[in-house]
């Protein structure tokens, strides 16, 4: 490890400017910020879902074949 790399690792990533902040509060803020960053990165890497085109939406599946037989055909009157 070079001296510049060691110096970079020793510098804090977050500078707290508010006086009187406890280590627990800094840890909580760090956890929330880390979770927000991870969520944003996950959203950036999600697959792009392409909605079906108008042509694809207009197509219907074929209906099942009709099987006529006794009692299969009924009239519309009761």
């Amino acid at each position: 490890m070079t001296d510049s790399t060691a110096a970079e690792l020793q510098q804090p990533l977050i500078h707290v400017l508010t006086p009187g902040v406890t280590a627990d509060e800094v840890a909580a803020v760090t956890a929330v910020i880390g979770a927000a960053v991870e969520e944003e990165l996950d959203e950036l890497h999600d697959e792009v879902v392409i909605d079906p085109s108008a042509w694809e939406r207009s197509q219907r599946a074929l209906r099942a074949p009709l099987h006529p037989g006794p009692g299969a055909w009924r009239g519309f009157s009761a």
Side-chain angles (χ1 to χ4, degrees):
M1 204 181 291
T2 64
D3 291 334
S4 63
T5 307
E8 288 176 9
L9 291 176
Q10 291 176 354
Q11 293 179 352
L13 297 175
I14 297 176
H15 298 282
V16 179
L17 301 176
T18 306
V21 178
T22 67
D24 291 338
E25 293 171 336
V26 173
V29 169
T30 304
V32 169
I33 291 173
V37 168
E38 284 184 29
E39 185 178 339
E40 286 292 324
L41 288 175
D42 287 343
E43 288 178 9
L44 287 175
H45 295 295
D46 284 345
E47 288 186 26
V48 176
V49 177
I50 300 173
D51 292 332
S53 67
W55 174 260
E56 292 170 331
R57 285 192 309 265
S58 70
Q59 301 305 305
R60 292 186 279 157
L62 296 174
R63 65 177 169 82
L66 298 175
H67 299 289
W73 298 101
R74 297 179 187 229
F76 290 103
S77 60

